[in-house]
Amino acid sequence: MTTIRPARTTDPAEVARLYDVCVRTGAAGGDATDLYTNPLLLPEVYLGAYLALEPGLAFVLADDDDRPVGYVVGTTDTRAFAERCEREWWPA
């Protein structure tokens, strides 16, 4: 049975698993592994900032072994989040 729970955003193994899920669903729901030479590009652009900057709004769908198989992330203020990403997340 799957469960929804808060993401463990300070657990490197969990973050790595969520990055993997991001890549494996990054081609319109299909596997994007072969589309990028850098396997971190997709999750760094579309997931990482939410895990780092809005950890309270990051949730996972976990399988019977409590392993993430899906996720949902969000922010309470899109404009403020984008500004914070400019300051704290995106490279110079």
Side-chain angles (χ1 to χ4, degrees), residues 3-85:
T3 58
I4 297 172
R5 63 165 172 76
R8 297 179 186 123
T9 59
T10 59
D11 177 354
E14 176 135 318
V15 171
R17 175 66 186 149
L18 293 172
Y19 270 42
D20 184 60
V21 170
C22 181
V23 172
R24 293 187 183 278
T25 59
D31 193 346
T33 302
D34 294 332
L35 299 179
Y36 301 93
T37 56
N38 180 345
L40 297 178
L41 180 62
L42 205 61
E44 286 286 308
V45 170
Y46 293 105
L47 176 61
Y50 290 96
L51 298 178
L53 305 178
E54 290 280 5
L57 293 175
F59 298 88
V60 300
L61 178 67
D63 66 11
D64 290 339
D65 296 321
D66 198 36
R67 191 175 116 132
V69 294
Y71 63 85
V72 63
V73 292
T75 183
T76 59
D77 185 331
T78 302
R79 182 168 291 147
F81 180 74
E83 291 169 359
R84 190 169 177 205
C85 284

